[in-house]
Amino acid sequence: GMVLGVSSFQSVTHILEAFKAQQKALEREEQKARRDRSAAKPPPQPSSSSASSRPRAGSSSSKAAPPASAPPAGKAPKPVATIVVPAAITSAVNLWNVSQLLREKRWISPVELKQSGAAKPAEIKLEHCFEDGSRARFLVIENANKLSEAEWRNVACVIVQGAAWQFKGWPFKSEADLFTKVLGVHMRTRDETPNQLVKSWNVEKYAFSKEKVNQHDVAVTVSSFWQAVHKSMTVQKPHLLMKPHQLS
């Protein structure tokens, strides 16, 4: 019985080793194919070409990007850009519905989502490809009070609710100071009364229809939002953008 035990153990070991070798070979092939693909990629098109020739442009994907090859020595990976959203369930955009809004250009009422039993995510991670082919990784959060000074430098956008207490404890002298340094955005549904406080703030203001038949209205708003984010990041936070040639 002992001999049988040893030999069957050895055969299992052989099978495992053969399997590992096979996996390694597959990985090597995959890496080679990836290298060949990147070598065969056509040169990037000039930015003057129409966006329609690049179907990927302006799309957000929730899938993690394939692991980039290790960055060259001394070159750190790009930091993640942060978007801060309101915590209030009554806000048109918050952690309940921001994923559907920014990824799928669909607006769903946060109140309805909560009533349906959906759980509120603690945070949302997404990647967005802008129209010029550059990209950024985003982390969407609602509580900015835990951010360090260094992390504040990576805040690309604050979606405002329209109440000053949202910024309580934030490292800015005033709302004016905040919106000089960080892109402010206010979104509301068309049936909401415009917020008087927001009117006086230097923020991008969007209103869209919440009717299902007018989903196009939401898509237009989301496209405008990403354009504003891109413009602001290009000027104020270029360190958060990955240019097409950096997308290893």
Side-chain angles (χ1 to χ4, degrees):
M2 186 63 195
V3 175
L4 179 68
V6 168
S7 66
S8 61
F9 173 73
Q10 283 172 337
S11 64
V12 167
T13 312
H14 285 151
I15 291 166
L16 276 174
E17 278 172 1
F19 177 70
K20 277 183 194 157
Q22 194 183 358
Q23 286 297 97
K24 279 211 174 99
L26 281 171
E27 276 169 27
R28 276 198 298 274
E29 273 175 37
E30 176 67 48
Q31 282 168 351
K32 183 179 180 301
R34 219 179 285 156
R35 277 199 301 274
D36 292 350
R37 274 203 301 276
S38 61
K41 265 187 197 155
Q45 295 175 329
S47 55
S48 60
S49 67
S50 69
S52 62
S53 64
R54 291 188 300 280
R56 293 283 306 132
S59 66
S60 297
S61 84
S62 54
K63 293 186 194 76
S69 49
K75 199 173 171 195
K78 286 277 173 183
V80 174
T82 301
I83 296 175
V84 183
V85 295
I89 185 94
T90 51
S91 177
V93 180
N94 50 35
L95 278 174
W96 292 94
N97 67 352
V98 70
S99 174
Q100 295 90 327
L101 185 73
L102 297 186
R103 285 182 183 141
E104 302 160 30
K105 299 184 180 179
R106 285 191 309 131
W107 184 81
I108 305 169
S109 155
V111 175
E112 283 174 24
L113 279 169
K114 188 179 182 181
Q115 285 168 349
S116 74
K120 179 173 81 168
E123 58 183 32
I124 300 285
K125 288 177 180 168
L126 59 94
E127 190 170 305
H128 187 77
C129 178
F130 296 103
E131 287 182 357
D132 66 348
S134 63
R135 278 176 184 272
R137 287 190 290 269
F138 291 92
L139 173 69
V140 188
I141 61 169
E142 65 177 21
N143 182 3
N145 286 323
K146 296 188 180 123
L147 296 178
S148 67
E149 196 180 324
E151 287 168 327
W152 265 110
R153 285 198 286 274
N154 298 338
V155 174
C157 171
V158 171
I159 297 181
V160 303
Q161 184 185 333
W165 54 257
Q166 183 184 358
F167 321 124
K168 194 171 185 289
W170 291 14
F172 300 94
K173 296 188 211 55
S174 60
E175 281 91 30
D177 181 39
L178 165 63
F179 300 130
T180 307
K181 293 169 181 163
V182 178
L183 171 70
V185 167
H186 182 258
M187 291 191 187
R188 66 177 175 88
T189 55
R190 289 196 197 279
D191 60 330
E192 274 180 73
T193 315
N195 180 301
Q196 292 307 309
L197 198 51
V198 170
K199 276 187 178 176
S200 65
W201 291 346
N202 177 26
V203 299
E204 297 289 327
K205 302 165 187 78
Y206 302 108
F208 53 86
S209 167
K210 65 179 188 183
E211 304 306 320
K212 295 269 188 294
V213 291
N214 290 337
Q215 282 291 339
H216 174 70
D217 208 23
V218 176
V220 170
T221 298
V222 174
S223 296
S224 301
F225 165 79
W226 282 124
Q227 281 166 7
V229 168
H230 186 230
K231 187 177 168 188
S232 167
M233 285 173 76
T234 304
V235 176
Q236 294 188 302
K237 316 267 171 158
H239 68 286
L240 297 173
L241 282 170
M242 293 180 279
K243 296 282 182 280
H245 62 81
Q246 291 171 328
L247 305 176
S248 51

